[in-house]
Amino acid sequence: MAEPDTRCQIVFEHYDRGDERRREALLALGNGVLSWRANAPEASVMPRADDSQHYAGFYRAGWYDEAPREVNGDSVQMAALVNLPDPFGLSFALDDGDWFSLDRVELQHYQQTLSLDTGVLERHLEFDLAEYRVRLLERRLVSMATPNLAVLRWELQLPPGLKLRLRTVLDGGVRNAGVRRNRAYEGRRLQHLAFDHDEKGAAALSARLHNQRRRLAMATEIRTPEQPLQWRATLDDHRLIQQTDCTVADSGRLIIEKCAVVLVDEERPATDEDARVEAQRQLPCDGYEQLEQASTEAWQRLWQGLALTADDSQLQHALHFHAFHLLQTVSPLSVGRDLGFPPRGWMEGYYGQVFWDELFAYPILATHWPELARSLLDYRYARLDKARERARRAGLRGAMFPWRSARTGEEETPPWQCNPMSGRWMADHTRLQRHIGSAVAYDAWQLYLATADEALLAGPVGELIIEVARFWASLAQFDASRQRYLICGVIGPDEYHNSYPDAAEPGLNNNTYTNLMAAWTLDRARQVLALLSEADAAALRQRLKVEPDEPEHWQAVAEGLYLPFVDDQLLSQFEGFDKLEAPSQEWLHGDRPRLDWMLEARHDSCDRYQLTKQADVLMAYHLLPRQTRQQILERMGYRHDSACTRHTVAYHLARITHESSLSKVVCAGALAAIDSEASWSYYQQALATDLGSPGNSGTQEGIHLGAMCGSLDVMQRHYLGVRLELDGLYIFPSPPPELQQIALSLVFRQARLNLQLADGSLWVRAADENSGSVPLHYAQGRCQLGPGESLEIAIPTPQDRSATH
């Protein structure tokens, strides 16, 4: 088996009871289909209790329950990712002693290691138990080679002849309880549980959800390869407990392996009994070493799509960790499974629902693993009809995508959020974040630019962009007094502003980011029709029933949208933002609870103040290249030169609390070509969002996948300056002085390019096996880079960049 690269490991050298839940999320394993929190197996053997130290989470991607819940007096039907039965409870005891627990032994050595290159999590323990020295080597994986398989292996070193009791648990009585403030929406979700088991250590479980068509089968098998054992079983509160006795062999070694296979819905036979049999049949015959080898080889093929190295070991470490979690969430095993992109990975944070966070992953996926980007596009395209229906119900045209999505394509935003400080329910109006549609259109366009796939443009890409554009064109209303189109009653990316102070209805008018991205989408819709062949354009128009005068109306709306400028110099966050009260500086910089909770507990609201949870206006500066922004603004008739840009950026930076994980990565991108020093500072903070967070942080609920992907995007799109355009690949690097050497590979229209930043230059080399040349644009000109050819691009100084921005 290949030796892991120590530069690609996450290592904890000591046990910290208070940090266990965060580490369970940080070190979670997945393969795009299954996800397994790094919960200690021995913790799952004890009777279920309210244990704040551990949380056993095991999930099937996209497997949601929609059972109604009573919340704040309302019956709420909202999708939530299901916590599956926990199949990995495992522990041992000496004779009649207590079951092994880290908190009851004298720990001599502790090391927990996640190998990013292989997807294997290892725990190495050495401790004294009842005057005996015990060594435990644990290895676990979620197979990147087999979609429905997870495996645990223990190797115990004990004195020969010692008598042991072994216990393993298949816990079907689990609840969704990973986020305490969400308990009113969560609870027990699995119903109709039934079990099978035998004396050889095999077991199976079947269950259903509130929707009787959503069904699960799980099988487990306990193996002791060097010492076959007989197991006896009991059932207690939906927990199948299997137990046996054994004597340590002369070698002093005892190996225990436990495999788990999960089948859901159409993967399993119709009857529960047959489903349990089928799940057992799919248990692998291979031993742990063979299963790990197959998974490792699959991981190695995946990593070839990035090939990232850096002279800064901490930077490389963080970026590999972020890419690892991206590939655990969206993998080749995800393709064809109708799965979206959850912002906390496939865990219980945000109920496992899908927001806009693929926006931060798409530039990376489209240029490294385009087939994975296509899979996410298919998730949105499959819900296009539902988005059209939602628009019609609102009296609008086109497609209105929900802010939060899950299985059905309906809106999944919970109507209420519990404030843990006051105990009161706060209305959640964030379903008004209509800018989600522009994110879907942006992602679709990025995939087309990366692949130049005309069939995509004439099909899903074109349909998504045009239908979102039609939505904007119908939502925007013409105001004769201003001779402008207005978009009213929406919420921007900043969730701290839901309405005007004391307003009867939620929603804000003319959010800058929303309006800019609406204009961008309307422009793209016209461009789609112009790019297609006459036959394809006619077919698309006919399929979507595009009326002859619609494209001209799209153009009129795009050029006539209103933007809320202050003194013709400053782009405000939304109309009226500048009239709000000035916030206390302590709220921006002091040590305090989450601001919306703190203010609501005082019967106040963030809506009253000029502060934002996260970058809002600056999202446009992060997302859209300067040239694109300028073109949009000029066509709208607005002046926004470099002085206005700096004034706008400084104004909003002074009002951001950065209480969203996305905020600092957005600021790093927005500032890359404006203020290199500030950009790098924000970037360093963004890299530490999860790895550097305290044990009681929100990381416990799941990693912050959008911020992780955003760090990779900022590196490639801003610092290395890689931009996808219709006429080729644009490379205009703006690396901070601190970024000395980094290399990565990417794919652009089926051609592989290797980029290396070193010694004040960015080298671009086309792979020998490329079938054609790549059109490149850079500051000194343009070229066609043929197979095996290289190009050196000089790095402009920060002063030069500042002068041109």
Side-chain angles (χ1 to χ4, degrees):
M1 199 168 297
E3 288 296 320
D5 184 348
T6 56
R7 296 171 302 170
C8 298
Q9 293 181 336
I10 306 297
V11 181
F12 289 99
E13 297 280 5
H14 69 285
Y15 172 63
D16 184 345
R17 178 184 173 89
D19 196 31
E20 278 290 280
R21 277 212 173 193
R22 182 185 73 105
R23 294 184 189 182
E24 287 172 358
L26 283 176
L27 306 177
L29 299 179
N31 63 2
V33 178
L34 293 178
S35 178
W36 180 12
R37 285 175 64 94
N39 180 55
E42 65 272 12
S44 295
V45 161
M46 305 307 295
R48 200 177 301 113
D50 182 18
D51 184 0
S52 61
Q53 179 184 356
H54 300 285
Y55 186 70
F58 192 43
Y59 310 97
R60 172 64 186 251
W63 209 59
Y64 298 102
D65 179 40
E66 290 132 2
R69 296 287 194 261
E70 290 294 322
V71 181
N72 194 28
D74 291 343
S75 178
V76 177
Q77 189 165 350
M78 183 199 75
L81 189 70
V82 177
N83 189 16
L84 304 183
D86 174 16
F88 291 113
L90 177 63
S91 192
F92 70 96
L94 305 184
D95 292 328
D96 295 326
D98 293 331
W99 296 105
F100 159 64
S101 167
L102 274 181
D103 295 316
R104 292 200 295 264
V105 298
E106 189 175 339
L107 194 59
Q108 302 296 328
H109 175 76
Y110 179 97
Q111 186 178 73
Q112 195 172 24
T113 303
L114 172 61
S115 295
L116 302 175
D117 53 346
T118 64
V120 173
L121 179 62
E122 184 176 287
R123 193 170 57 139
H124 187 193
L125 310 176
E126 189 170 335
F127 51 90
D128 292 333
L129 179 62
E131 300 181 357
Y132 296 106
R133 177 61 55 91
V134 181
R135 294 179 177 85
L136 168 60
L137 175 61
E138 174 186 298
R139 295 176 74 86
R140 64 169 76 184
L141 61 90
V142 175
S143 175
M144 193 57 82
T146 306
N148 58 357
L149 176 66
V151 191
L152 172 71
R153 183 183 192 271
W154 272 17
E155 180 177 333
L156 284 164
Q157 290 285 344
L158 294 149
L162 199 62
K163 296 186 181 299
L164 295 182
R165 288 179 294 139
L166 301 179
R167 174 180 283 183
T168 181
V169 175
L170 171 57
D171 188 354
V174 297
R175 305 169 67 87
N176 275 49
V179 184
R180 287 181 176 80
R181 66 182 179 279
N182 293 345
R183 61 184 178 273
Y185 289 101
E186 295 283 27
R188 181 165 292 183
R189 296 193 173 274
L190 298 169
Q191 305 174 13
H192 304 287
L193 280 88
F195 293 85
D196 292 331
H197 58 86
D198 64 24
E199 294 181 350
K200 296 180 180 179
L205 169 155
S206 60
R208 302 182 187 183
L209 299 181
H210 174 76
N211 180 341
Q212 296 292 303
R213 293 189 298 273
R214 313 305 305 283
R215 299 172 301 158
L216 164 83
M218 178 183 290
T220 65
E221 185 176 25
I222 316 158
R223 300 171 180 172
T224 50
E226 299 176 350
Q227 188 178 357
L229 299 171
Q230 296 292 306
W231 296 83
R232 53 192 180 275
T234 57
L235 191 62
D236 179 25
D237 191 21
H238 300 299
R239 301 170 82 234
L240 182 68
I241 301 169
Q242 295 168 284
Q243 196 161 309
T244 191
D245 302 309
C246 69
T247 302
V248 178
D250 291 343
S251 66
R253 185 172 75 168
L254 176 62
I255 294 175
I256 310 163
E257 299 174 358
K258 192 169 189 182
C259 300
V261 163
V262 178
L263 304 177
V264 300
D265 301 338
E266 68 280 356
E267 297 171 349
R268 41 156 282 175
T271 71
D272 289 341
E273 183 177 4
D274 288 345
R276 295 194 298 273
V277 171
E278 175 61 19
Q280 288 182 299
R281 189 191 68 79
Q282 292 195 26
L283 285 163
C285 297
D286 291 337
Y288 178 84
E289 288 80 3
Q290 290 75 27
L291 298 174
E292 182 178 314
Q293 182 65 38
S295 182
T296 294
E297 290 172 358
W299 267 108
Q300 289 171 346
R301 289 191 294 272
L302 261 181
W303 282 121
Q304 291 172 5
L306 186 63
L308 186 149
T309 60
D311 65 334
D312 182 337
S313 60
Q314 290 186 332
L315 174 64
Q316 178 174 322
H317 190 250
L319 292 177
H320 266 109
F321 179 63
H322 294 176
F324 175 78
H325 274 291
L326 168 61
L327 294 172
Q328 289 203 128
T329 306
V330 187
S331 83
L333 299 180
S334 308
V335 174
R337 292 179 181 270
D338 191 33
L339 299 173
F341 188 84
R344 292 303 193 92
W346 292 114
M347 285 184 257
E348 288 174 46
Y350 295 131
Y351 309 98
Q353 296 168 352
V354 175
F355 295 62
W356 68 327
D357 295 69
E358 72 254 42
L359 183 72
F360 297 89
Y362 242 83
I364 293 299
L365 289 176
T367 54
H368 296 270
W369 303 279
E371 71 282 3
L372 305 186
R374 173 62 194 269
S375 179
L376 294 180
L377 185 79
D378 290 343
Y379 172 84
R380 295 297 188 182
Y381 187 62
R383 285 152 184 79
L384 179 57
D385 281 343
K386 179 60 69 174
R388 289 173 173 135
E389 178 189 324
R390 297 185 68 250
R392 288 195 300 271
R393 293 201 304 254
L396 300 167
R397 302 186 69 185
M400 184 171 77
F401 282 92
W403 173 236
R404 296 200 192 190
S405 182
R407 184 178 63 90
T408 66
E410 289 286 6
E411 180 63 70
E412 301 291 354
T413 301
W416 306 97
Q417 301 281 0
C418 181
N419 182 351
M421 291 186 66
S422 68
R424 292 189 291 265
W425 290 100
M426 303 164 61
D428 187 336
H429 302 300
T430 56
R431 65 187 62 229
L432 296 177
Q433 294 197 57
R434 306 300 186 204
H435 61 84
I436 178 68
S438 293
V440 172
Y442 178 90
D443 295 339
W445 185 247
Q446 292 299 308
L447 183 59
Y448 170 66
L449 292 178
T451 62
D453 187 333
E454 296 299 320
L456 267 180
L457 188 66
V461 166
E463 287 191 38
L464 286 165
I465 291 174
I466 287 174
E467 291 293 60
V468 173
R470 296 171 105 176
F471 167 73
W472 288 127
S474 65
L475 183 64
Q477 298 298 306
F478 187 72
D479 182 351
S481 66
R482 305 192 207 191
Q483 291 294 294
R484 287 281 183 181
Y485 286 91
L486 313 182
I487 295 179
C488 300
V490 300
I491 294 174
D494 168 38
E495 296 181 351
Y496 275 0
H497 288 92
N498 286 204
S499 61
Y500 291 103
D502 304 318
E505 296 294 330
L508 304 161
N509 299 337
N510 298 308
N511 172 259
T512 288
Y513 173 75
T514 299
N515 287 17
L516 278 172
M517 292 306 297
W520 179 92
T521 306
L522 289 158
D523 287 341
R524 293 294 80 70
R526 293 177 65 246
Q527 197 169 24
V528 165
L529 294 176
L531 287 169
L532 290 172
S533 69
E534 186 174 333
D536 283 343
L540 184 58
R541 281 174 176 265
Q542 183 177 10
R543 192 162 67 249
L544 301 184
K545 296 181 174 58
V546 176
E547 297 169 6
D549 61 347
E550 276 195 81
E552 288 71 23
H553 180 59
W554 301 341
Q555 180 178 358
V557 175
E559 294 177 355
L561 278 167
Y562 175 79
L563 293 180
F565 275 87
V566 179
D567 299 328
D568 296 327
Q569 290 284 314
L570 168 70
L571 263 173
S572 188
Q573 182 168 313
F574 53 81
E575 193 171 6
F577 180 81
D578 58 306
K579 302 297 193 297
L580 301 178
E581 297 179 34
S584 165
Q585 288 301 301
E586 291 183 359
W587 295 354
L588 288 165
H589 307 294
D591 183 15
R592 54 160 178 76
R594 202 174 104 171
L595 193 63
D596 58 337
W597 293 346
M598 184 185 82
L599 291 179
E600 192 279 337
R602 299 176 182 179
H603 300 280
D604 201 350
S605 170
C606 293
D607 287 328
R608 305 178 65 85
Y609 301 99
Q610 290 185 44
L611 47 76
T612 61
K613 177 183 179 182
Q614 64 198 80
D616 192 302
V617 175
L618 298 188
M619 232 348 255
Y621 293 82
H622 165 64
L623 206 59
L624 300 177
R626 179 179 63 86
Q627 298 88 337
T628 303
R629 288 198 317 271
Q630 289 299 111
Q631 290 168 3
I632 292 173
L633 289 162
E634 286 172 6
R635 286 197 293 268
M636 293 171 128
Y638 291 111
R639 172 183 168 272
H640 195 60
D641 58 18
S642 59
C644 296
T645 295
R646 290 179 177 279
H647 187 34
T648 298
V649 169
Y651 175 87
H652 291 290
L653 283 175
R655 287 160 175 78
I656 303 176
T657 67
H658 298 295
E659 290 174 278
S660 164
S661 64
L662 297 174
S663 189
K664 289 180 179 177
V665 77
V666 169
C667 289
L671 290 167
I674 300 172
D675 185 336
S676 181
E677 182 179 353
S679 172
W680 187 248
S681 175
Y682 281 119
Y683 190 70
Q684 294 296 303
Q685 295 172 62
L687 290 176
T689 297
D690 287 302
L691 280 174
S693 62
N696 62 353
S697 70
T699 303
Q700 291 186 11
E701 302 167 12
I703 45 86
H704 295 85
L705 195 56
M708 288 181 167
C709 297
S711 70
L712 294 160
D713 177 34
V714 168
M715 177 59 67
Q716 177 173 299
R717 192 163 55 86
H718 288 288
Y719 292 161
L720 298 184
V722 176
R723 190 168 85 243
L724 313 182
E725 297 289 355
L726 285 169
D727 57 348
L729 193 66
Y730 283 56
I731 303 183
F732 288 78
S734 296
E738 295 85 353
L739 183 61
Q740 293 293 313
Q741 294 185 27
I742 191 164
L744 56 79
S745 70
L746 57 84
V747 175
F748 180 69
R749 299 176 187 173
Q750 293 78 53
R752 181 162 295 280
L753 300 174
N754 299 298
L755 278 63
Q756 182 171 14
L757 175 70
D759 302 323
S761 295
L762 180 65
W763 287 89
V764 184
R765 184 182 185 280
D768 295 333
E769 61 270 20
N770 290 350
S771 60
S773 61
V774 178
L776 292 184
H777 300 251
Y778 54 105
Q780 294 77 32
R782 64 184 66 183
C783 72
Q784 293 284 337
L785 197 67
E789 294 181 347
S790 296
L791 172 69
E792 181 182 8
I793 301 174
I795 304 297
T797 66
Q799 293 77 16
D800 292 337
R801 296 176 218 159
S802 178
T804 59
H805 192 82

